[in-house]
Amino acid sequence: MDAFLASTFAVAIAEIGDKTQLLSLFLVARYAKRAPIILGILVATLLNHALSALLGAWIAEWIPQAWLPWILATSFVAIALWLLIPDKDDNGDSAFLGMGAFMATTVMFFLAEIGDKTQVATVVLAARYTDTFWVIMGTTVGMLLANIPVIMAGKWLMERLPLATARIGASLLFMILAVATVWTALTSV
């Protein structure tokens, strides 16, 4: 349950103001139906985060156990600092838009997540927690928690969210994960 909750909160908070949230806003402005957009986000996130979590679990197997907490803590700090940098909407028009709402969302979200903060966070969380399935479920739920309100409330919601505060909160959450990782490593020796 720790893996699920940590993954859900980390991604939900980290996603606020992220480029995929801006992509959600763009897609809801482009397509009238919201359900295909939500389903596209679900499918893209499950695929992307499953691959990311499996990579994180695989990396955790190959790194010496004594190094793992320090590498993870450093990764959490790097993500925390990265979260302080605002994302820009760089989507523009895409050839995928002619595919329909579901396919366009699935393809564009999957591609937008490659190298994104939440994908990197998924790799690190899967390396941190041994239950890869719950990391995948948590990061997927976190992605949906952050994007569904944008899809449902659109521009009205985005104008009222304090994005700088959300970025700082997400950064603090990853700093806490870094400290908890080091603390666990030091107290289990």
Side-chain angles (χ1 to χ4, degrees):
M1 198 56 148
D2 288 345
F4 176 77
L5 292 175
S7 299
T8 299
F9 290 122
V11 169
I13 294 170
E15 184 65 13
I16 295 173
D18 192 70
K19 68 182 172 191
T20 47
Q21 217 174 31
L22 297 172
L23 177 57
S24 292
L25 188 59
F26 170 75
L27 289 166
V28 79
R30 175 87 160 116
Y31 299 106
K33 295 182 180 176
R34 288 166 168 70
I37 296 170
I38 293 168
L39 289 173
I41 292 170
L42 173 64
V43 170
T45 303
L46 280 171
L47 291 172
N48 192 293
H49 289 199
L51 293 171
S52 302
L54 291 172
L55 174 65
W58 179 78
I59 288 170
E61 287 180 19
W62 291 98
I63 294 174
Q65 286 300 315
W67 295 6
L68 191 58
W70 304 103
I71 292 170
L72 291 173
T74 303
S75 298
F76 283 136
V77 169
I79 293 168
L81 295 174
W82 187 7
L83 284 166
L84 295 174
I85 302 169
D87 277 338
K88 294 178 178 70
D89 183 9
D90 57 359
N91 301 314
D93 280 342
S94 170
F96 303 117
L97 293 176
M99 301 171 127
F102 172 75
M103 282 305 294
T105 301
T106 302
V107 172
M108 292 173 78
F109 250 80
F110 184 86
L111 294 174
E113 273 297 292
I114 295 174
D116 194 51
K117 293 178 279 238
T118 50
Q119 184 188 39
V120 174
T122 302
V123 172
V124 174
L125 287 162
R128 166 72 172 88
Y129 295 101
T130 57
D131 204 339
T132 306
F133 173 80
W134 289 112
V135 170
I136 296 166
M137 291 300 103
T139 58
T140 301
V141 169
M143 183 69 78
L144 292 173
L145 285 173
N147 283 289
I148 289 175
V150 172
I151 293 164
M152 301 312 284
K155 191 173 181 175
W156 179 88
L157 183 62
M158 291 301 286
E159 289 172 350
R160 287 159 178 78
L161 280 176
L163 297 180
T165 303
R167 282 193 302 275
I168 292 168
S171 179
L172 287 173
L173 178 61
F174 277 95
M175 286 294 199
I176 290 168
L177 286 169
V179 170
T181 300
V182 169
W183 180 261
T184 301
L186 292 175
T187 58
S188 66
V189 175

